[in-house]
Amino acid sequence: METIKNTKVSFKIVPITDNDKEVVINFIKQNFFRDEPLCASLGLIEEKESVIQLEKFCVDALQNGISFMAVSTETGEMIGVSLDNTMCRGNEINEIVEENNDKSSKFNDIMVLLDKAKRDTDIFGKYPNIDRIMDLKIITVNEAYRGQGVCKALIDKSKELALELRYQMIYVECTSHFTAMAVERFGFQCIYSLSYTDYVNKQNEVVFKTQPPHKYFKVYVLLL
């Protein structure tokens, strides 16, 4: 793996098609489910029902047909994914509210946090002239290929499509310190920040005991 990390990879960004969905879900399971700070803190990958619900969450996002993957031009291997969705004025929280009714506690813990962030941010109230937003649900890159511009290329391609389809904003929730640093470098503005140590349940217990350097949940936007 070290030889891959030290070798510049040639890749292309292509749309995810219906034929790619199974491979994409497997890629996300291998590169996101286990390492993402919230999933890791809960041990979500160990709870079968939570994994099933997180898979469904990803499959639902893929239905929009606006997601992208990074593919090695030499081997054809998938090395990164940007799972993109659409938020429209009037139905921006319905999907999350429905998911919160699921019986899986670990998955539900994450969805409750996302629901809170959506409500606290009140994106359409904050930006009254915006009606359609591209929501970057999941951005993940194979660890062996990180630091080679794959994340930026995925976001750039998503931005290109957002402009083409006349979205007015790109929105991304960053659970990871590294993702937050990346989108900030790409010109996104932080509009919401919540310390994980301040986020507690009804018993006043910290819900997500994330590992350093993942200390904050942040929301970033990019006006188009």
Side-chain angles (χ1 to χ4, degrees):
M1 297 296 285
E2 289 301 321
T3 56
I4 296 176
K5 290 182 182 179
N6 295 328
T7 303
K8 184 67 176 177
V9 63
S10 175
F11 62 90
K12 59 183 177 180
I13 306 297
V14 297
I16 295 173
T17 69
D18 287 341
N19 294 333
D20 303 315
K21 287 181 180 178
E22 184 176 348
V23 178
V24 169
I25 295 300
N26 286 333
F27 178 89
I28 293 173
K29 286 174 67 175
Q30 294 171 13
N31 296 279
F32 182 81
F33 282 20
R34 190 179 304 278
D35 296 336
E36 186 277 325
L38 303 188
C39 292
S41 72
L42 296 176
L44 184 144
I45 195 75
E46 300 167 5
E47 185 175 81
K48 182 178 179 181
E49 189 61 32
S50 281
V51 172
I52 291 172
Q53 290 301 316
L54 193 46
E55 286 180 11
K56 182 180 181 297
F57 176 85
C58 296
V59 169
D60 288 346
L62 285 169
Q63 302 305 320
N64 285 278
I66 57 173
S67 298
F68 294 96
M69 59 184 179
V71 179
S72 167
T73 56
E74 298 175 356
T75 65
E77 177 189 5
M78 186 183 304
I79 61 175
V81 165
S82 178
L83 199 60
D84 305 338
N85 208 341
T86 300
M87 291 196 302
C88 296
R89 181 178 295 276
N91 65 354
E92 60 271 17
I93 64 172
N94 292 342
E95 177 185 343
I96 291 180
V97 172
E98 290 173 4
E99 293 286 4
N100 281 346
N101 294 324
D102 183 72
K103 63 183 179 181
S104 171
S105 61
K106 293 182 179 181
F107 177 79
N108 191 64
D109 283 345
I110 294 175
M111 298 312 292
V112 169
L113 173 60
L114 299 185
D115 189 9
K116 171 180 170 54
K118 284 286 195 304
R119 295 178 186 278
D120 288 353
T121 304
D122 184 22
I123 196 73
F124 290 104
K126 189 178 183 68
Y127 297 93
N129 296 323
I130 288 180
D131 297 312
R132 291 179 74 244
I133 299 171
M134 179 177 282
D135 180 5
L136 307 189
K137 289 285 190 185
I138 292 177
I139 306 169
T140 184
V141 176
N142 184 322
E143 183 179 5
Y145 299 97
R146 291 172 189 170
Q148 300 200 41
V150 179
C151 178
K152 184 178 188 303
L154 285 164
I155 292 176
D156 284 347
K157 195 66 175 179
S158 296
K159 179 182 176 182
E160 180 182 311
L161 180 63
L163 289 168
E164 180 183 332
L165 298 180
R166 298 184 182 279
Y167 287 86
Q168 299 153 297
M169 172 186 284
I170 299 178
Y171 172 102
V172 56
E173 294 164 338
C174 298
T175 61
S176 161
H177 170 75
F178 301 117
T179 305
M181 286 181 60
V183 298
E184 198 163 291
R185 286 198 305 270
F186 304 154
F188 284 68
Q189 175 191 3
C190 182
I191 61 168
Y192 180 80
S193 179
L194 174 66
S195 168
Y196 289 127
T197 57
D198 292 337
Y199 181 70
V200 297
N201 58 21
K202 293 179 180 179
Q203 292 73 43
N204 205 36
E205 301 167 332
V206 174
V207 178
F208 302 107
K209 297 178 181 178
T210 55
Q211 295 298 310
H214 311 295
K215 297 180 179 180
Y216 296 93
F217 176 95
K218 295 184 177 183
V219 176
Y220 285 82
V221 297
L222 181 69
L223 292 169
L224 302 175

